[in-house]
Amino acid sequence: MENMKLIIDKVYGFVDKKVIENNNFAAQKANETLHKGTDKGSDFLGWLHLPSKTSANFLSEIENIANSLIQQCEVVVCIGIGGSYLGAKAVIDALSNSFDWLSRERKNPVIVYAGQNIGEDYLFELQSLLKNKIFGIICISKSGTTTEPALAFRLLKTQLEQQQGAAAAKDLIVCITDKSHGALRILADKEKYKTFTIEDNIGGRFSVLSPVGLLPIAVAGFDIRKLIEGAKSIETQTDISVPFENNIAAQYAVARNELYRIGKKIEILVNFHPKLHYIAEWWKQLYGESEGKEGKGIFPAAVDFTTDLHSMGQWIQDGERTIFETVITVKNPNHTTIFPTWDENLDGLNFLAGKRVDNINKMAELGTMIAHLDGGVPQLKIELPRLDEYYIGQLLYFFERACGISGYLLGVNPFDQPGVEAYKKNMFALLDKPSFEAQSKEIKSRI
Ligand code: PA5
């Protein structure tokens, strides 16, 4: 079986190969720290062995609930935000036909999302779409108290009960939340909804391989067994027993930290496949929330090429030299399209006739990478053999493991997110939430 690959030789012109190799010990130590749970955030390491601990029986349970939604629903709304949303969206987008939502032949419900914003128009338009449709709800919130999903859930639960009746609505709602104390758990137990638990030791941004990601992905019709299988293979290949020269997670963590040390403060995740857009969104949260603290951390950015070459290409080629790129390349596309010949050749493109479109895309990719390298942009490359569940599983786990190692190399706790609370406190105070009276007066005086 082929594996995903990491290629780091285009970093060596900026950071000496020896410097990377000399980090061998530090990376090994950080990886061991993850295993032993001996540093900051050790109570949030439930994701580390999640792939190997996920049993076939548990996957069957998820598949059974998914099948019940598939059989009943035309549309399933996934409610969640941040780590309770991005993983599922990333995987579903990466694996779906780009125009699947328009297809009349689809076997699985259309997945739509809510609770990832507070846009009134968005919610109004979603509720209009769902009128007279049989829809299901997967409500995901570990804390059960996050404002955005709680708001969306109240609106959509009300609508579903009005459309289907309260009793029938129960069969169409699944909640994924904490074991016992959150508001959503209490509500779900009272209403007798089907539920899955998010373990206390799995943080949102590391939860894609738990029911948080797996249930929506299964409802969308993808093989969660293969996804876990892929993740499991990288769990083994990035284990502490694997030497640095073979451990791609450790190498990625070291390379990006060394680039950061020489002033490359922004990492741009590049893809040449529009389906990977949300993989980058998921990755941005994973690294942004894990490393951006204590005045430190690489800023994670992302672009879709070749689209964004026509908007951000100038900056990347010529702007401030504080960036490096991590390029995700996909070796084999899933379909074949051959470029046709035109007798008159009025567009001058006959030199491409007979080539696969992917070949043209790959030349764009190579040309861009060489140009950016010439422009002083160090590059890391991640190669996936193709876009399927197995390799997406590999990619997700690779990024998670590398993130844990990288955070420890940077010297932060990669598993907390104290900064996220600041906006919530102000918002609650501005909305006069009970118990925020003291802050309310102060914050209102600053408007
Ligand atoms: O990674 C995280 O912890 C966050 O992004 C959370 O997932 C997000 O804030 C949603 O939280 P919750 O699942 O508690 O609603």
Coordinates of all heavy atoms in Angstrom, one line a residue, residues 45-115:
L45 N -5.2 14.3 25.5 CA -4.4 13.5 24.5 C -5.3 12.3 24.0 O -4.7 11.3 23.5 CB -3.1 13.0 25.2 CG -2.1 14.1 25.5 CD1 -1.0 13.6 26.3 CD2 -1.6 14.7 24.1
G46 N -6.6 12.3 24.2 CA -7.4 11.2 23.8 C -7.4 10.9 22.3 O -7.7 9.8 21.9
W47 N -7.0 11.9 21.5 CA -6.9 11.8 20.1 C -5.7 10.9 19.6 O -5.7 10.4 18.5 CB -6.8 13.1 19.4 CG -5.6 13.9 19.9 CD1 -5.5 14.7 20.9 CD2 -4.3 13.9 19.3 NE1 -4.3 15.2 21.1 CE2 -3.5 14.7 20.1 CE3 -3.7 13.2 18.2 CZ2 -2.1 14.9 19.8 CZ3 -2.3 13.4 18.0 CH2 -1.6 14.3 18.8
L48 N -4.7 10.8 20.5 CA -3.4 10.3 20.1 C -3.5 8.8 19.6 O -2.9 8.5 18.6 CB -2.4 10.4 21.2 CG -0.9 10.1 20.9 CD1 -0.3 11.1 20.0 CD2 -0.1 10.1 22.2
H49 N -4.2 8.0 20.3 CA -4.4 6.6 19.9 C -5.8 6.3 19.5 O -6.2 5.2 19.5 CB -3.9 5.7 21.1 CG -2.5 5.9 21.5 ND1 -1.5 5.7 20.6 CD2 -2.0 6.4 22.6 CE1 -0.3 6.0 21.2 NE2 -0.6 6.4 22.4
L50 N -6.5 7.4 19.1 CA -7.9 7.2 18.8 C -8.1 6.2 17.6 O -8.9 5.3 17.7 CB -8.6 8.6 18.5 CG -10.1 8.6 18.3 CD1 -10.8 8.1 19.6 CD2 -10.5 10.1 18.1
P51 N -7.3 6.4 16.5 CA -7.5 5.4 15.4 C -7.3 4.0 15.8 O -8.2 3.1 15.5 CB -6.5 5.9 14.4 CG -6.2 7.3 14.7 CD -6.3 7.4 16.2
S52 N -6.3 3.7 16.5 CA -6.0 2.3 16.9 C -7.0 1.8 17.9 O -7.2 0.6 18.1 CB -4.6 2.0 17.3 OG -4.3 2.9 18.4
K53 N -7.6 2.7 18.6 CA -8.6 2.3 19.7 C -10.0 2.2 19.2 O -10.9 1.8 19.9 CB -8.5 3.2 20.9 CG -7.3 3.0 21.7 CD -7.3 3.8 23.0 CE -6.2 3.5 23.9 NZ -5.8 4.6 24.8
T54 N -10.3 2.7 18.0 CA -11.6 2.7 17.5 C -12.0 1.3 17.0 O -11.4 0.8 16.1 CB -11.8 3.7 16.3 OG1 -11.4 5.0 16.8 CG2 -13.2 3.8 15.8
S55 N -13.0 0.7 17.6 CA -13.3 -0.7 17.3 C -14.3 -0.8 16.2 O -15.0 0.2 15.9 CB -13.9 -1.4 18.5 OG -15.2 -0.8 18.8
A56 N -14.3 -2.0 15.5 CA -15.3 -2.2 14.4 C -16.7 -2.1 14.9 O -17.6 -1.6 14.2 CB -15.0 -3.6 13.8
N57 N -16.9 -2.5 16.2 CA -18.3 -2.4 16.7 C -18.7 -1.0 16.9 O -19.9 -0.7 16.6 CB -18.3 -3.1 18.1 CG -18.4 -4.6 18.0 OD1 -18.6 -5.1 16.9 ND2 -18.2 -5.3 19.1
F58 N -17.8 -0.2 17.3 CA -18.2 1.3 17.5 C -18.5 1.9 16.1 O -19.4 2.7 16.0 CB -17.0 2.0 18.2 CG -17.4 3.4 18.5 CD1 -18.4 3.7 19.3 CD2 -16.6 4.5 18.0 CE1 -18.7 5.0 19.6 CE2 -16.9 5.8 18.3 CZ -18.0 6.1 19.1
L59 N -17.7 1.5 15.1 CA -17.9 2.0 13.8 C -19.3 1.6 13.3 O -20.0 2.3 12.6 CB -16.8 1.6 12.8 CG -15.5 2.3 13.1 CD1 -14.4 1.7 12.2 CD2 -15.5 3.8 12.9
S60 N -19.7 0.3 13.6 CA -21.0 -0.2 13.2 C -22.1 0.6 13.9 O -23.1 0.9 13.2 CB -21.2 -1.6 13.6 OG -20.2 -2.4 13.0
E61 N -21.9 1.0 15.1 CA -22.9 1.8 15.8 C -23.1 3.1 15.1 O -24.2 3.6 14.9 CB -22.4 2.2 17.2 CG -22.9 1.4 18.3 CD -22.3 1.8 19.7 OE1 -22.5 3.0 20.0 OE2 -21.6 1.0 20.3
I62 N -22.0 3.7 14.7 CA -22.1 5.0 14.0 C -22.8 4.8 12.6 O -23.7 5.5 12.2 CB -20.7 5.6 13.8 CG1 -20.1 6.0 15.1 CG2 -20.7 6.8 12.8 CD1 -18.7 6.5 15.1
E63 N -22.4 3.7 11.9 CA -23.0 3.4 10.6 C -24.5 3.2 10.7 O -25.3 3.6 9.9 CB -22.3 2.2 10.0 CG -20.9 2.6 9.4 CD -20.0 1.4 9.2 OE1 -20.4 0.3 9.7 OE2 -19.0 1.5 8.6
N64 N -24.9 2.5 11.8 CA -26.4 2.2 12.0 C -27.2 3.5 12.1 O -28.2 3.7 11.5 CB -26.6 1.4 13.2 CG -26.1 -0.1 12.9 OD1 -25.9 -0.4 11.8 ND2 -25.9 -0.8 14.0
I65 N -26.6 4.4 13.0 CA -27.4 5.7 13.1 C -27.3 6.5 11.8 O -28.3 7.1 11.4 CB -26.7 6.5 14.3 CG1 -26.7 5.8 15.6 CG2 -27.4 7.9 14.4 CD1 -28.0 5.7 16.3
A66 N -26.2 6.5 11.2 CA -26.1 7.2 9.9 C -27.1 6.6 8.9 O -27.8 7.4 8.2 CB -24.6 7.0 9.3
N67 N -27.2 5.3 8.8 CA -28.2 4.7 7.9 C -29.6 5.1 8.2 O -30.4 5.3 7.3 CB -28.0 3.1 7.9 CG -26.8 2.7 7.2 OD1 -26.3 3.5 6.3 ND2 -26.2 1.6 7.5
S68 N -29.9 5.2 9.5 CA -31.3 5.6 9.8 C -31.5 7.0 9.3 O -32.6 7.3 8.7 CB -31.5 5.4 11.3 OG -32.1 6.6 11.9
L69 N -30.5 7.9 9.4 CA -30.7 9.3 8.8 C -30.8 9.2 7.3 O -31.6 9.9 6.7 CB -29.6 10.2 9.3 CG -29.6 10.6 10.8 CD1 -28.4 11.4 11.2 CD2 -30.9 11.4 11.1
I70 N -29.9 8.4 6.7 CA -29.9 8.3 5.3 C -31.2 7.8 4.7 O -31.7 8.4 3.7 CB -28.8 7.3 4.8 CG1 -27.4 7.9 5.1 CG2 -28.9 6.9 3.3 CD1 -26.2 6.9 5.0
Q71 N -31.8 6.8 5.4 CA -33.1 6.3 4.9 C -34.2 7.3 5.1 O -35.1 7.4 4.2 CB -33.5 5.0 5.7 CG -32.8 3.8 5.0 CD -32.6 2.7 6.1 OE1 -33.3 2.7 7.1 NE2 -31.6 1.9 5.8
Q72 N -34.2 8.2 6.1 CA -35.3 9.0 6.4 C -35.2 10.4 5.7 O -36.2 11.1 5.5 CB -35.5 9.3 7.9 CG -35.7 8.0 8.7 CD -35.8 8.3 10.2 OE1 -36.9 8.7 10.6 NE2 -34.8 8.2 10.9
C73 N -34.0 10.9 5.5 CA -33.8 12.3 5.2 C -33.4 12.7 3.8 O -32.5 12.0 3.3 CB -32.8 13.0 6.2 SG -33.1 12.6 7.9
E74 N -33.9 13.8 3.4 CA -33.4 14.4 2.1 C -32.2 15.2 2.4 O -31.3 15.3 1.6 CB -34.6 15.2 1.6 CG -34.7 15.4 0.1 CD -35.9 16.3 -0.2 OE1 -36.9 16.1 0.6 OE2 -35.8 17.0 -1.1
V75 N -32.3 15.9 3.5 CA -31.2 16.9 3.9 C -30.8 16.6 5.4 O -31.7 16.3 6.2 CB -31.7 18.3 3.8 CG1 -30.6 19.3 4.2 CG2 -32.2 18.7 2.4
V76 N -29.5 16.6 5.7 CA -29.1 16.5 7.1 C -28.4 17.8 7.4 O -27.4 18.2 6.7 CB -28.3 15.3 7.4 CG1 -27.7 15.4 8.8 CG2 -29.2 14.0 7.3
V77 N -28.8 18.5 8.5 CA -28.1 19.7 8.9 C -27.1 19.4 10.0 O -27.5 18.8 11.0 CB -29.1 20.8 9.5 CG1 -28.4 22.1 9.7 CG2 -30.3 20.9 8.6
C78 N -25.8 19.6 9.8 CA -24.8 19.4 10.8 C -24.7 20.8 11.5 O -24.2 21.7 10.9 CB -23.5 19.1 10.2 SG -23.4 17.4 9.8
I79 N -25.0 20.8 12.8 CA -24.8 22.0 13.6 C -23.6 21.9 14.4 O -23.4 20.9 15.1 CB -26.1 22.2 14.5 CG1 -27.4 22.3 13.7 CG2 -25.9 23.4 15.4 CD1 -28.6 22.4 14.5
G80 N -22.7 22.9 14.3 CA -21.5 22.9 15.1 C -20.6 24.0 14.6 O -20.8 24.6 13.5
I81 N -19.6 24.3 15.4 CA -18.6 25.4 15.0 C -17.2 25.0 15.4 O -17.1 24.1 16.3 CB -19.0 26.7 15.7 CG1 -18.3 27.9 15.0 CG2 -18.8 26.7 17.2 CD1 -18.9 29.3 15.4
G82 N -16.2 25.6 14.7 CA -14.8 25.3 15.1 C -14.6 23.8 14.9 O -14.9 23.1 13.9
G83 N -14.0 23.2 16.0 CA -13.6 21.8 15.9 C -14.8 20.9 15.8 O -14.7 19.7 15.5
S84 N -16.0 21.4 16.1 CA -17.2 20.6 16.0 C -17.9 20.7 14.7 O -19.0 20.3 14.5 CB -18.2 21.0 17.1 OG -17.7 20.6 18.4
Y85 N -17.2 21.3 13.7 CA -17.7 21.5 12.4 C -16.7 21.2 11.3 O -17.0 20.6 10.3 CB -18.3 22.9 12.3 CG -18.2 23.6 11.0 CD1 -19.1 23.3 10.0 CD2 -17.4 24.7 10.9 CE1 -19.1 24.0 8.8 CE2 -17.4 25.4 9.7 CZ -18.2 25.1 8.6 OH -18.2 25.8 7.5
L86 N -15.5 21.8 11.5 CA -14.6 21.9 10.3 C -14.1 20.5 9.8 O -13.9 20.4 8.6 CB -13.4 22.8 10.7 CG -13.7 24.3 10.7 CD1 -12.6 25.1 11.5 CD2 -13.8 24.8 9.3
G87 N -13.9 19.6 10.7 CA -13.3 18.3 10.3 C -14.3 17.6 9.3 O -13.9 17.1 8.3
A88 N -15.6 17.5 9.7 CA -16.5 16.8 8.9 C -16.7 17.5 7.5 O -16.6 16.9 6.5 CB -17.9 16.8 9.6
K89 N -16.8 18.8 7.6 CA -16.9 19.6 6.4 C -15.7 19.4 5.5 O -15.8 19.2 4.2 CB -17.0 21.1 6.7 CG -16.9 22.1 5.6 CD -18.3 22.4 4.9 CE -18.2 23.5 3.9 NZ -18.9 23.2 2.7
A90 N -14.5 19.4 6.1 CA -13.3 19.2 5.3 C -13.3 17.9 4.6 O -13.0 17.8 3.4 CB -12.1 19.3 6.2
V91 N -13.6 16.8 5.3 CA -13.5 15.5 4.7 C -14.6 15.3 3.6 O -14.4 14.8 2.5 CB -13.7 14.4 5.8 CG1 -13.7 13.0 5.2 CG2 -12.5 14.5 6.8
I92 N -15.8 15.8 4.0 CA -17.0 15.6 3.0 C -16.7 16.4 1.7 O -16.9 15.8 0.6 CB -18.3 16.0 3.7 CG1 -18.6 15.1 4.8 CG2 -19.4 16.1 2.7 CD1 -19.8 15.5 5.7
D93 N -16.2 17.6 1.9 CA -15.8 18.4 0.6 C -14.7 17.7 -0.2 O -14.8 17.7 -1.4 CB -15.4 19.8 1.0 CG -16.6 20.7 1.3 OD1 -17.7 20.2 1.5 OD2 -16.4 21.9 1.2
A94 N -13.7 17.2 0.5 CA -12.6 16.6 -0.2 C -13.0 15.4 -1.0 O -12.4 15.1 -2.0 CB -11.5 16.2 0.8
L95 N -14.0 14.6 -0.4 CA -14.4 13.4 -1.1 C -15.6 13.4 -2.0 O -15.8 12.5 -2.8 CB -14.6 12.3 0.0 CG -13.4 12.0 0.9 CD1 -13.8 11.0 2.0 CD2 -12.2 11.4 0.1
S96 N -16.3 14.5 -1.9 CA -17.6 14.6 -2.7 C -17.3 15.0 -4.1 O -16.4 15.8 -4.4 CB -18.5 15.6 -2.1 OG -19.0 15.2 -0.8
N97 N -18.2 14.6 -5.0 CA -18.3 15.2 -6.3 C -18.6 16.7 -6.1 O -19.4 17.1 -5.3 CB -19.5 14.5 -7.0 CG -19.7 15.0 -8.4 OD1 -19.7 16.2 -8.7 ND2 -19.8 14.1 -9.4
S98 N -17.8 17.5 -6.9 CA -17.9 18.9 -6.7 C -19.4 19.5 -6.9 O -19.7 20.5 -6.4 CB -17.0 19.7 -7.6 OG -15.7 19.2 -7.5
F99 N -20.2 18.8 -7.7 CA -21.5 19.3 -8.0 C -22.6 18.3 -7.4 O -23.7 18.3 -7.9 CB -21.6 19.5 -9.5 CG -20.5 20.4 -10.0 CD1 -19.4 19.8 -10.6 CD2 -20.6 21.7 -9.8 CE1 -18.4 20.7 -11.0 CE2 -19.6 22.6 -10.2 CZ -18.5 22.0 -10.8
D100 N -22.2 17.5 -6.4 CA -23.1 16.5 -5.9 C -24.4 17.1 -5.4 O -25.4 16.5 -5.6 CB -22.3 15.9 -4.7 CG -22.9 14.6 -4.3 OD1 -23.3 13.9 -5.3 OD2 -22.9 14.2 -3.2
W101 N -24.4 18.3 -4.8 CA -25.6 18.8 -4.3 C -26.6 19.1 -5.4 O -27.8 19.3 -5.1 CB -25.3 20.1 -3.5 CG -24.5 21.1 -4.2 CD1 -23.2 21.0 -4.5 CD2 -25.0 22.3 -4.9 NE1 -22.8 22.1 -5.2 CE2 -23.9 22.9 -5.5 CE3 -26.2 22.8 -5.0 CZ2 -24.0 24.1 -6.2 CZ3 -26.3 24.0 -5.7 CH2 -25.2 24.6 -6.3
L102 N -26.2 19.2 -6.7 CA -27.1 19.4 -7.8 C -27.6 18.2 -8.4 O -28.5 18.2 -9.2 CB -26.4 20.2 -8.8 CG -26.3 21.8 -8.7 CD1 -25.5 22.3 -9.8 CD2 -27.7 22.4 -8.6
S103 N -27.0 17.0 -8.0 CA -27.3 15.8 -8.7 C -28.6 15.2 -8.3 O -29.0 15.2 -7.1 CB -26.1 14.8 -8.4 OG -26.6 13.5 -8.8
R104 N -29.3 14.7 -9.3 CA -30.6 14.1 -9.0 C -30.4 12.6 -8.6 O -31.4 12.0 -8.2 CB -31.6 14.2 -10.2 CG -32.0 15.6 -10.4 CD -32.9 15.7 -11.7 NE -33.1 17.1 -12.1 CZ -33.9 17.9 -11.4 NH1 -34.6 17.5 -10.4 NH2 -34.0 19.2 -11.9
E105 N -29.2 12.1 -8.9 CA -29.0 10.7 -8.6 C -28.4 10.4 -7.3 O -28.1 9.2 -7.0 CB -28.1 10.1 -9.7 CG -28.8 10.0 -11.1 CD -27.8 10.3 -12.2 OE1 -26.7 9.9 -12.1 OE2 -28.3 10.9 -13.2
R106 N -28.3 11.4 -6.4 CA -27.6 11.1 -5.2 C -28.4 10.1 -4.3 O -29.6 10.1 -4.2 CB -27.4 12.4 -4.4 CG -28.5 13.4 -4.4 CD -28.2 14.6 -3.6 NE -27.6 14.2 -2.3 CZ -26.4 14.5 -2.0 NH1 -25.6 15.2 -2.8 NH2 -25.9 14.1 -0.8
K107 N -27.6 9.3 -3.6 CA -28.2 8.3 -2.7 C -28.3 8.8 -1.3 O -29.0 8.3 -0.5 CB -27.4 7.0 -2.8 CG -27.4 6.3 -4.1 CD -26.7 4.9 -4.0 CE -26.0 4.5 -5.2 NZ -24.5 4.8 -5.2
N108 N -27.4 9.7 -1.0 CA -27.3 10.1 0.4 C -27.9 11.5 0.6 O -28.0 12.3 -0.4 CB -25.8 10.2 0.8 CG -25.3 8.8 0.9 OD1 -25.0 8.2 -0.2 ND2 -25.2 8.2 2.0
P109 N -28.3 11.8 1.8 CA -28.8 13.2 2.0 C -27.8 14.3 1.7 O -26.6 14.0 1.8 CB -29.2 13.2 3.5 CG -29.1 11.8 4.0 CD -28.2 11.0 3.0
V110 N -28.3 15.4 1.3 CA -27.4 16.6 1.1 C -27.0 17.0 2.5 O -27.9 17.1 3.4 CB -28.1 17.7 0.4 CG1 -27.2 19.0 0.3 CG2 -28.6 17.3 -0.9
I111 N -25.7 17.3 2.8 CA -25.3 17.8 4.1 C -25.2 19.3 4.0 O -24.5 19.8 3.1 CB -23.9 17.2 4.5 CG1 -23.9 15.7 4.3 CG2 -23.6 17.6 5.9 CD1 -24.7 14.9 5.3
V112 N -25.9 20.0 4.9 CA -25.7 21.4 5.0 C -25.3 21.7 6.4 O -25.4 20.9 7.3 CB -27.0 22.2 4.6 CG1 -27.3 22.0 3.1 CG2 -28.2 21.8 5.5
Y113 N -24.8 22.9 6.6 CA -24.2 23.3 7.9 C -24.9 24.5 8.6 O -25.4 25.4 7.9 CB -22.7 23.6 7.7 CG -22.0 22.4 7.1 CD1 -22.0 22.2 5.7 CD2 -21.5 21.4 7.9 CE1 -21.4 21.1 5.2 CE2 -20.9 20.3 7.4 CZ -20.8 20.1 6.0 OH -20.2 19.0 5.4
A114 N -25.0 24.4 9.9 CA -25.5 25.6 10.6 C -24.8 25.7 11.9 O -24.1 24.7 12.3 CB -27.0 25.4 10.9
G115 N -24.9 26.8 12.6 CA -24.3 27.0 13.9 C -22.8 27.3 13.8 O -22.1 27.4 14.8

